[in-house]
Amino acid sequence: MKKTEKRDLMAPLTELLGIQYPILQGAMAHIARCPLVGAVSEAGGLGIIAAGGLSGTELREQIRKTQQQTKKPFAVNLMLQMPSIAEQVEVLIEEDVKIVTTGAGTPKPYMEALKQAGVKVFPVVPSVKLAQKMEQLGADGVIAEGMEAGGHIGETTTMTLLPQVTQTVKIPVIAAGGIGDGRGMAAAFALGAQGIQMGTVFLTAKECPIRENYRQAIIQADDTATTVIRNQAGGALRGLKNALTQAYLEEPTKDVFSLAALKRAADDGEIQQGMVMAGQVAGLLTEVRSAQEIIETIYKEAVAIGRNSGIK
């Protein structure tokens, strides 16, 4: 691929975010912390700190530790229903974080403050309607996430959601959900995306701060290893099938949908009674690699496919 062709395919988002590769690391609760975030950003992608469940003080600590790991751009993901959200916004502005992704609510109450501070805002959206609303609100781009993804999900698949979003909004669209190799990245670009976000694949990264049994559970997973549980409010969460999800399936009124369940898996390595977040792409993942190896391999695969198919 000629240099000018590479620029046509990759430049818009990478220039906007100041990164080398148009690859974002998903903000996985209790997992996306400084060891992984710094490694992804240092490798040329965009590492993203998951602020969900953190106090303002804890978020500040994560930001400063990440800044010690890398001088390259990284982001913070805001779960907008968290009680500490206002404090988190103040902290990330004070710490000069310039990129934010958002989920679980609208960033409208904080948009003015973020934009005045020069922060680029990328909401995660599960539908065309929400993508349109975020564009009207002044978002710099959206992350269109299909139901194949791990963690919190919507009702539409990536394959059907992405082309509908990209033909509807004019701001950059990043594809998420079910992407774990260069073929998925190339497909996302063919459907109009300017970048991709991956979470599950980074669970297998050497730098990911999860217990080894969690990592091996992802590697040993097959194509039918995940399931979806819902809370009483209708929210949905995808993770590996285990004793916790089986208890929910046997008694759907039982509320197992909580940050505590995520923490048990991520922090304590409890992969039977914890919520082991993972997307359907887990069945594609078979080895432990560094974040740099993951990013460079997927990028090279996508570029090769693009070259062979004429995508520019």
Side-chain angles (χ1 to χ4, degrees):
M1 179 175 285
K2 295 179 181 178
K3 185 175 182 180
T4 54
E5 291 175 340
K6 175 183 172 181
R7 182 179 177 83
D8 287 342
L9 180 64
M10 304 296 180
L13 187 70
T14 55
E15 290 182 355
L16 179 64
L17 299 179
I19 58 179
Q20 183 178 358
Y21 303 108
I23 297 174
L24 282 64
Q25 159 250 305
M28 300 166 284
H30 287 280
I31 295 172
R33 300 290 191 253
C34 55
L36 176 61
V37 175
V40 169
S41 286
E42 192 64 16
L46 184 72
I48 304 176
I49 297 171
L54 297 181
S55 66
T57 300
E58 290 169 331
L59 176 58
R60 193 185 303 275
E61 180 182 12
Q62 286 295 314
I63 291 171
R64 291 184 175 179
K65 285 183 176 180
T66 304
Q67 289 169 336
Q68 291 172 0
Q69 284 185 257
T70 183
K71 301 304 180 184
K72 297 180 180 180
F74 63 90
V76 168
N77 172 263
L78 298 172
M79 294 297 289
L80 294 162
Q81 293 178 347
M82 294 291 104
S84 59
I85 186 66
E87 183 183 8
Q88 289 180 347
V89 170
E90 291 181 5
V91 167
L92 69 88
I93 290 174
E94 289 172 359
E95 296 298 323
D96 203 31
V97 175
K98 292 303 184 184
I99 307 168
V100 161
T101 65
T102 69
T106 175
K108 184 177 181 179
Y110 311 101
M111 188 64 84
E112 183 178 356
L114 290 169
K115 302 304 283 187
Q116 286 183 350
V119 179
K120 296 179 178 66
V121 181
F122 288 77
V124 177
V125 298
S127 70
V128 172
K129 184 177 180 179
L130 280 176
Q132 291 173 312
K133 286 185 176 180
M134 293 302 101
E135 182 176 43
Q136 294 166 3
L137 191 60
D140 296 275
V142 292
I143 301 167
E145 183 180 73
M147 66 181 296
E148 301 96 323
H152 298 274
I153 60 170
E155 299 180 353
T156 309
T157 65
T158 304
M159 181 68 76
T160 54
L161 175 64
L162 187 55
Q164 294 182 71
V165 172
T166 57
Q167 74 178 11
T168 302
V169 301
K170 296 180 180 179
I171 54 179
V173 178
I174 297 164
I179 303 172
D181 63 10
R183 294 170 297 179
M185 183 175 184
F189 275 89
L191 294 173
Q194 292 188 18
I196 61 170
Q197 176 173 284
M198 302 181 295
T200 306
V201 67
F202 284 114
L203 291 172
T204 66
K206 293 177 181 178
E207 300 90 345
C208 187
I210 54 176
R211 298 295 181 93
E212 189 57 31
N213 61 341
Y214 193 137
R215 197 182 338 268
Q216 289 303 315
I218 301 299
I219 289 174
Q220 293 166 15
D222 61 19
D223 59 317
T224 62
T226 69
T227 191
V228 177
I229 62 174
R230 299 181 183 277
N231 64 5
Q232 300 304 308
L237 192 72
R238 182 182 295 281
L240 295 185
K241 296 175 182 176
N242 60 9
L244 181 78
T245 63
Q246 183 59 36
Y248 165 81
L249 294 173
E250 292 174 355
E251 189 180 346
T253 58
K254 186 175 183 179
D255 193 358
V256 298
F257 189 101
S258 67
L259 279 173
L262 302 178
K263 187 176 185 299
R264 284 198 299 272
D267 294 353
D268 304 329
E270 179 48 76
I271 61 172
Q272 283 302 318
Q273 295 300 330
M275 187 62 195
V276 184
M277 294 191 300
Q280 290 180 320
V281 76
L284 191 65
L285 309 174
T286 60
E287 60 181 327
V288 177
R289 297 172 290 175
S290 68
Q292 182 174 347
E293 289 176 301
I294 290 170
I295 290 171
E296 291 183 352
T297 299
I298 290 175
Y299 173 79
K300 290 176 182 178
E301 289 175 352
V303 168
I305 293 170
R307 181 189 302 120
N308 293 334
S309 64
I311 300 174
K312 296 183 179 181

